[in-house]
Amino acid sequence: MTTASLLRGPRTATFGALAAAGLGFAFLRTFYSAKPSAVASAHHTGSGPVDAAEPAGPQNMARPTASSRVFSSGLSMVSLRLKSCEEVTHNVKRLRFEYPDPQAVSGLSVTSSLLTLSWPHGSFFPAVRPYTPISRLDEPGHLELLVKQYPDGKASTYLHSLQPGQSLRFVAALPGYPWTPNKHPHVVLIAGGAGITPVYQLLQAIFQNRADDQTRATLVFGVRSDRDVLLRTELDALADKFPGRFRVVYTVSHPEPGSPFPQGRVSKELLARVLEHDGAATVDNAKVMVCGPPAMESALVGTGRFGRTPGVLEELGFRRDQIHTF
């Protein structure tokens, strides 16, 4: 088990519980295909989702009452229709799913993710993957996912193939880091690529709670190219609105000619400069939260369990209990 795995206690425990209930997927498959609609049968071409335009009846959709919460902790079994999709980049889409009740809210806690279940065409087993909503958790009527499609990603390819009116199943809510206002005076957030989603969810929670939460936040966001700087408009807006409490630092490993972003990776040298500038390195109870590709996380938090190799963050003076990986 890697250090990153050790730091993912709640999520790992949840996955373990779901794995122990693996036989239940036999029921899910029956549940998933028991009553295909005439529309799906007439228009399925063999390359898209097999549950196109599935009916929204009680047999496959949880219907919350007015002002209710759509998701509870643990298993949820909720099917939501895709209202709209926006192509953000060549391999990233922003998907908005609507709740049956326009007044309902997600019911999720901060830094939670949702476990999705899909059955890509031609697959014997379902694809089960977690995604972190980027919409505010108390926003009524809908939730939004930012989904990057990977070349061999069955779940991400399935989600990218969805069209408005089709549905996606959400089978569980996965709790994340137990955040409370002012739990830490300063949080240092380090994201790589699509790992920005749980970080952005946390930032929304901190800065929408203007009365109670005075946490300072620093974000270091590393990506490969200019077009991979996801949610830049939203992040820059937060930095402009809260200049004394939030700063975002972008770094791009392969910037385009004339790029406004500095070139580089999320390195020890970059982090040392950022921490010194923002004063986070001197705060004993500051929290560092990391979400990015495995190689990036390993470099930052260390590798190995026995004879462990410390990562960059420990070399910069952070204790292991100050570091969390999403």
Side-chain angles (χ1 to χ4, degrees), residues 65-94:
T65 57
S67 301
S68 66
R69 299 184 174 192
V70 176
F71 302 99
S72 57
S73 60
L75 294 176
S76 295
M77 299 307 224
V78 175
S79 180
L80 299 180
R81 289 192 184 279
L82 180 65
K83 182 177 182 179
S84 64
C85 59
E86 173 191 352
E87 189 171 296
V88 179
T89 71
H90 71 293
N91 62 356
V92 175
K93 282 188 175 182
R94 190 168 186 155

Short mmCIF file of all heavy atoms in Angstrom, two decimals, residues 65-94:
data_model
loop_
_atom_site.label_atom_id
_atom_site.label_comp_id
_atom_site.label_asym_id
_atom_site.label_seq_id
_atom_site.Cartn_x
_atom_site.Cartn_y
_atom_site.Cartn_z
N THR A 65 -38.55 14.59 -2.34
CA THR A 65 -39.64 15.53 -2.14
C THR A 65 -39.07 16.94 -2.17
O THR A 65 -37.87 17.15 -2.25
CB THR A 65 -40.31 15.27 -0.79
OG1 THR A 65 -39.32 15.36 0.24
CG2 THR A 65 -40.93 13.88 -0.76
N ALA A 66 -39.97 17.94 -2.12
CA ALA A 66 -39.55 19.33 -2.23
C ALA A 66 -38.50 19.66 -1.18
O ALA A 66 -38.63 19.29 -0.01
CB ALA A 66 -40.77 20.24 -2.07
N SER A 67 -37.44 20.39 -1.61
CA SER A 67 -36.35 20.82 -0.73
C SER A 67 -35.64 19.64 -0.07
O SER A 67 -35.06 19.79 0.99
CB SER A 67 -36.87 21.79 0.33
OG SER A 67 -37.47 22.92 -0.29
N SER A 68 -35.70 18.48 -0.65
CA SER A 68 -35.05 17.32 -0.06
C SER A 68 -33.63 17.20 -0.54
O SER A 68 -33.16 17.95 -1.39
CB SER A 68 -35.83 16.05 -0.41
OG SER A 68 -35.74 15.82 -1.81
N ARG A 69 -32.93 16.23 0.02
CA ARG A 69 -31.57 15.93 -0.38
C ARG A 69 -31.59 14.71 -1.29
O ARG A 69 -32.19 13.69 -0.96
CB ARG A 69 -30.71 15.66 0.85
CG ARG A 69 -30.62 16.85 1.79
CD ARG A 69 -29.69 16.57 2.94
NE ARG A 69 -29.51 17.76 3.76
CZ ARG A 69 -28.58 17.87 4.70
NH1 ARG A 69 -27.77 16.85 4.95
NH2 ARG A 69 -28.47 18.98 5.40
N VAL A 70 -30.92 14.81 -2.41
CA VAL A 70 -30.96 13.73 -3.39
C VAL A 70 -30.12 12.54 -2.93
O VAL A 70 -30.51 11.40 -3.10
CB VAL A 70 -30.46 14.24 -4.76
CG1 VAL A 70 -30.41 13.11 -5.77
CG2 VAL A 70 -31.37 15.36 -5.25
N PHE A 71 -28.95 12.83 -2.34
CA PHE A 71 -28.03 11.76 -1.95
C PHE A 71 -27.91 11.70 -0.44
O PHE A 71 -27.80 12.72 0.24
CB PHE A 71 -26.65 11.99 -2.55
CG PHE A 71 -26.65 12.06 -4.06
CD1 PHE A 71 -26.63 13.30 -4.70
CD2 PHE A 71 -26.71 10.92 -4.83
CE1 PHE A 71 -26.64 13.39 -6.08
CE2 PHE A 71 -26.73 11.00 -6.22
CZ PHE A 71 -26.70 12.23 -6.84
N SER A 72 -27.91 10.46 0.06
CA SER A 72 -27.61 10.24 1.47
C SER A 72 -26.25 9.56 1.55
O SER A 72 -25.67 9.18 0.53
CB SER A 72 -28.69 9.35 2.11
OG SER A 72 -28.78 8.11 1.41
N SER A 73 -25.72 9.41 2.75
CA SER A 73 -24.42 8.76 2.87
C SER A 73 -24.56 7.28 2.51
O SER A 73 -25.58 6.65 2.76
CB SER A 73 -23.89 8.90 4.30
OG SER A 73 -24.79 8.32 5.22
N GLY A 74 -23.52 6.73 1.90
CA GLY A 74 -23.56 5.33 1.51
C GLY A 74 -24.30 5.14 0.20
O GLY A 74 -24.31 6.01 -0.67
N LEU A 75 -24.94 3.97 0.05
CA LEU A 75 -25.63 3.65 -1.19
C LEU A 75 -26.80 4.60 -1.44
O LEU A 75 -27.55 4.91 -0.52
CB LEU A 75 -26.13 2.20 -1.15
CG LEU A 75 -25.04 1.12 -1.13
CD1 LEU A 75 -25.64 -0.26 -0.98
CD2 LEU A 75 -24.19 1.19 -2.40
N SER A 76 -26.94 5.03 -2.69
CA SER A 76 -28.00 5.98 -3.02
C SER A 76 -28.94 5.46 -4.10
O SER A 76 -30.14 5.65 -4.03
CB SER A 76 -27.38 7.30 -3.49
OG SER A 76 -26.66 7.92 -2.45
N MET A 77 -28.41 4.84 -5.15
CA MET A 77 -29.23 4.31 -6.24
C MET A 77 -30.11 5.38 -6.86
O MET A 77 -31.34 5.31 -6.83
CB MET A 77 -30.09 3.15 -5.75
CG MET A 77 -29.29 1.98 -5.21
SD MET A 77 -28.05 1.42 -6.37
CE MET A 77 -28.25 -0.32 -6.28
N VAL A 78 -29.49 6.41 -7.39
CA VAL A 78 -30.21 7.52 -8.01
C VAL A 78 -29.86 7.59 -9.49
O VAL A 78 -28.69 7.49 -9.86
CB VAL A 78 -29.84 8.85 -7.33
CG1 VAL A 78 -30.51 10.02 -8.04
CG2 VAL A 78 -30.23 8.83 -5.85
N SER A 79 -30.85 7.76 -10.33
CA SER A 79 -30.63 7.93 -11.76
C SER A 79 -31.02 9.36 -12.14
O SER A 79 -32.13 9.80 -11.85
CB SER A 79 -31.47 6.93 -12.55
OG SER A 79 -31.25 7.09 -13.94
N LEU A 80 -30.08 10.08 -12.75
CA LEU A 80 -30.33 11.47 -13.11
C LEU A 80 -30.18 11.66 -14.62
O LEU A 80 -29.28 11.09 -15.24
CB LEU A 80 -29.35 12.39 -12.39
CG LEU A 80 -29.40 12.39 -10.86
CD1 LEU A 80 -28.36 13.36 -10.30
CD2 LEU A 80 -30.79 12.73 -10.35
N ARG A 81 -31.04 12.50 -15.16
CA ARG A 81 -30.99 12.78 -16.59
C ARG A 81 -29.98 13.90 -16.88
O ARG A 81 -29.87 14.86 -16.13
CB ARG A 81 -32.37 13.21 -17.09
CG ARG A 81 -33.37 12.07 -17.14
CD ARG A 81 -34.61 12.49 -17.92
NE ARG A 81 -35.61 11.44 -17.89
CZ ARG A 81 -35.61 10.38 -18.69
NH1 ARG A 81 -34.63 10.24 -19.57
NH2 ARG A 81 -36.55 9.47 -18.61
N LEU A 82 -29.29 13.75 -17.99
CA LEU A 82 -28.38 14.77 -18.46
C LEU A 82 -29.18 15.91 -19.09
O LEU A 82 -29.92 15.70 -20.05
CB LEU A 82 -27.40 14.19 -19.48
CG LEU A 82 -26.37 15.16 -20.06
CD1 LEU A 82 -25.41 15.64 -18.98
CD2 LEU A 82 -25.59 14.49 -21.19
N LYS A 83 -29.02 17.11 -18.54
CA LYS A 83 -29.74 18.27 -19.06
C LYS A 83 -28.97 18.94 -20.18
O LYS A 83 -29.54 19.36 -21.19
CB LYS A 83 -30.01 19.26 -17.94
CG LYS A 83 -30.81 20.48 -18.38
CD LYS A 83 -31.12 21.40 -17.21
CE LYS A 83 -31.96 22.58 -17.66
NZ LYS A 83 -32.28 23.48 -16.52
N SER A 84 -27.63 19.05 -19.99
CA SER A 84 -26.83 19.71 -21.01
C SER A 84 -25.38 19.24 -20.90
O SER A 84 -24.95 18.74 -19.85
CB SER A 84 -26.88 21.23 -20.86
OG SER A 84 -26.31 21.63 -19.61
N CYS A 85 -24.63 19.38 -21.98
CA CYS A 85 -23.21 19.06 -21.96
C CYS A 85 -22.46 20.13 -22.74
O CYS A 85 -22.94 20.60 -23.78
CB CYS A 85 -22.93 17.67 -22.51
SG CYS A 85 -23.47 17.40 -24.21
N GLU A 86 -21.31 20.51 -22.22
CA GLU A 86 -20.50 21.55 -22.83
C GLU A 86 -19.10 21.00 -23.07
O GLU A 86 -18.49 20.42 -22.17
CB GLU A 86 -20.43 22.77 -21.91
CG GLU A 86 -19.48 23.84 -22.37
CD GLU A 86 -19.23 24.91 -21.32
OE1 GLU A 86 -19.93 24.89 -20.28
OE2 GLU A 86 -18.32 25.74 -21.51
N GLU A 87 -18.60 21.17 -24.27
CA GLU A 87 -17.24 20.73 -24.58
C GLU A 87 -16.28 21.82 -24.12
O GLU A 87 -16.22 22.91 -24.69
CB GLU A 87 -17.09 20.48 -26.08
CG GLU A 87 -15.77 19.83 -26.44
CD GLU A 87 -15.71 19.38 -27.89
OE1 GLU A 87 -16.52 18.50 -28.26
OE2 GLU A 87 -14.88 19.94 -28.62
N VAL A 88 -15.51 21.51 -23.08
CA VAL A 88 -14.58 22.48 -22.51
C VAL A 88 -13.26 22.48 -23.26
O VAL A 88 -12.71 23.52 -23.60
CB VAL A 88 -14.36 22.18 -21.01
CG1 VAL A 88 -13.38 23.18 -20.40
CG2 VAL A 88 -15.68 22.21 -20.26
N THR A 89 -12.72 21.29 -23.50
CA THR A 89 -11.52 21.12 -24.30
C THR A 89 -11.74 19.90 -25.20
O THR A 89 -12.82 19.32 -25.21
CB THR A 89 -10.26 20.88 -23.44
OG1 THR A 89 -10.31 19.58 -22.84
CG2 THR A 89 -10.15 21.93 -22.34
N HIS A 90 -10.71 19.49 -25.92
CA HIS A 90 -10.84 18.35 -26.82
C HIS A 90 -11.14 17.06 -26.07
O HIS A 90 -11.67 16.11 -26.65
CB HIS A 90 -9.55 18.18 -27.63
CG HIS A 90 -8.39 17.70 -26.83
ND1 HIS A 90 -7.79 18.45 -25.85
CD2 HIS A 90 -7.72 16.51 -26.84
CE1 HIS A 90 -6.80 17.78 -25.30
NE2 HIS A 90 -6.74 16.60 -25.88
N ASN A 91 -10.82 16.99 -24.76
CA ASN A 91 -11.07 15.75 -24.02
C ASN A 91 -11.74 15.98 -22.67
O ASN A 91 -11.71 15.10 -21.80
CB ASN A 91 -9.77 14.97 -23.83
CG ASN A 91 -8.74 15.72 -23.01
OD1 ASN A 91 -8.95 16.87 -22.63
ND2 ASN A 91 -7.61 15.08 -22.75
N VAL A 92 -12.33 17.14 -22.48
CA VAL A 92 -13.02 17.44 -21.22
C VAL A 92 -14.41 17.99 -21.53
O VAL A 92 -14.57 18.88 -22.37
CB VAL A 92 -12.23 18.47 -20.38
CG1 VAL A 92 -13.03 18.85 -19.13
CG2 VAL A 92 -10.88 17.91 -19.97
N LYS A 93 -15.40 17.45 -20.82
CA LYS A 93 -16.78 17.94 -20.96
C LYS A 93 -17.33 18.32 -19.59
O LYS A 93 -16.98 17.72 -18.57
CB LYS A 93 -17.69 16.87 -21.59
CG LYS A 93 -17.54 16.73 -23.09
CD LYS A 93 -18.61 15.81 -23.67
CE LYS A 93 -18.53 15.75 -25.19
NZ LYS A 93 -19.60 14.91 -25.74
N ARG A 94 -18.20 19.31 -19.63
CA ARG A 94 -18.92 19.72 -18.43
C ARG A 94 -20.36 19.23 -18.58
O ARG A 94 -21.08 19.65 -19.49
CB ARG A 94 -18.87 21.25 -18.31
CG ARG A 94 -19.39 21.80 -17.00
CD ARG A 94 -19.00 23.27 -16.89
NE ARG A 94 -19.35 23.84 -15.59
CZ ARG A 94 -18.72 24.89 -15.06
NH1 ARG A 94 -17.74 25.47 -15.73
NH2 ARG A 94 -19.08 25.35 -13.89
#
